[in-house]
Amino acid sequence: MATTVRTPATKPPAKGAPMSSTRKTALVAGIFYLITFISIPTLALYGPIKNHQDWILGSGGHTAVLVGGFLEVIVALAGIGTAVTLYPVVKRQNEGAALGFVTARVLEGSMIFVGVVSLLSLVTLRQDLGAAAGANTAALVTTAASHVAVYKWTFLLGQTLMPCINALLLGSLLYRSRLVPRILPVMGLIGAPLLISAVIAKLLGGIDHYTAWAAIATLPVAVWEFSLGVWLVVKGFNPSPITAGMDAASRPPAYHDVTA
């Protein structure tokens, strides 16, 4: 009587090396990180709003503000995407810190959305002013000033402070796991305390939003995030027990039938 025995099959040599699951994860996370830099043009797009009195009472288009808001929405979603994508990997180093990173990214994205809503509300006020006769311009200017203030504070907390928290959490995970060259997380771990000190100084009224100190303190964190994105896209994760375990778990065992 013939019986069928299922035994592990010898894997045939691959003609082209397929992309492993961890390589795909690194690629997606790197792309998300690079996308977070598309909001840089908002520094120029939001320029006219800095003088909110002239802008809210003036005429002309507001396309720049709409484009800037759209870019920031993309940044908020991409930031959350970096954490969600990296979580299955970095949780193998420390699940609590990995979960904290996801939470911090979600909080950062939420504050970005609040800032965007405050500026889009300015657009609505400007449109209503153009359609209203005898509008109370003083009240509109005051309202515009409050919306701009909301954006500035959400920017300080959401796009300045939270990246520092992210750098400390993710930087420590990547430094200990050696998933990327240690010089990359070191930049974030060094830059985060500097930028936090600038944020605290601003909160206490010591410096303005755009001082040289704040700009210098921002640079290491920005370089860390950009370098991490480039590395993950080009190189992926370094070989480690974490990546080996994930790749092994993602590969289904191959079998073939042996008839006796």
Side-chain angles (χ1 to χ4, degrees):
M1 180 177 180
T3 59
T4 300
V5 180
R6 298 180 65 82
T7 60
T10 303
K11 185 178 179 180
K15 296 181 178 179
M19 185 178 291
S20 66
S21 62
T22 54
R23 183 67 186 97
K24 292 177 183 178
T25 298
L27 178 61
V28 173
I31 292 173
F32 275 137
Y33 261 109
L34 296 180
I35 289 175
T36 60
F37 285 86
I38 68 169
S39 66
I40 292 176
T42 58
L43 298 175
L45 293 173
Y46 292 159
I49 300 182
K50 293 178 182 179
N51 190 346
H52 52 271
Q53 179 173 346
D54 290 345
W55 189 83
I56 195 70
L57 299 177
S59 59
H62 42 258
T63 304
V65 180
L66 298 177
V67 171
F70 177 70
L71 293 178
E72 289 203 272
V73 167
I74 294 176
V75 168
L77 296 176
I80 296 173
T82 62
V84 172
T85 305
L86 289 175
Y87 176 74
V89 180
V90 295
K91 76 173 183 179
R92 291 172 175 255
Q93 178 63 38
N94 186 304
E95 188 170 3
L99 184 59
F101 174 55
V102 174
T103 304
R105 274 300 205 189
V106 172
L107 182 58
E108 176 186 348
S110 300
M111 285 190 279
I112 292 175
F113 269 90
V114 172
V116 170
V117 169
S118 69
L119 293 189
L120 295 182
S121 299
L122 274 180
V123 174
T124 301
L125 287 172
R126 196 168 189 245
Q127 291 172 331
D128 291 344
L129 175 61
N136 188 336
T137 56
L140 283 171
V141 169
T142 301
T143 304
S146 67
H147 281 271
V148 172
V150 168
Y151 177 78
K152 288 182 177 179
W153 285 110
T154 55
F155 184 90
L156 179 71
L157 298 177
Q159 300 191 62
T160 307
L161 177 61
M162 294 312 299
C164 302
I165 306 301
N166 296 330
L168 293 175
L169 291 170
L170 182 61
S172 62
L173 289 168
L174 294 181
Y175 183 86
R176 286 180 290 175
S177 64
R178 297 177 181 268
L179 288 168
V180 297
R182 280 187 159 180
I183 184 61
L184 299 183
V186 163
M187 287 189 292
L189 294 173
I190 291 176
L194 295 176
L195 191 51
I196 289 174
S197 67
V199 172
I200 293 175
K202 172 56 188 174
L203 290 172
L204 297 178
I207 64 173
D208 188 51
H209 279 284
Y210 306 107
T211 61
W213 178 17
I216 293 173
T218 301
L219 187 60
V221 176
V223 172
W224 134 254
E225 291 195 346
F226 184 78
S227 301
L228 177 61
V230 172
W231 182 270
L232 292 177
V233 168
V234 177
K235 295 290 187 179
F237 297 118
N238 290 339
S240 70
I242 291 178
T243 58
M246 292 186 67
D247 288 338
S250 66
R251 285 195 299 265
Y255 294 93
H256 69 273
D257 293 338
V258 176
T259 302

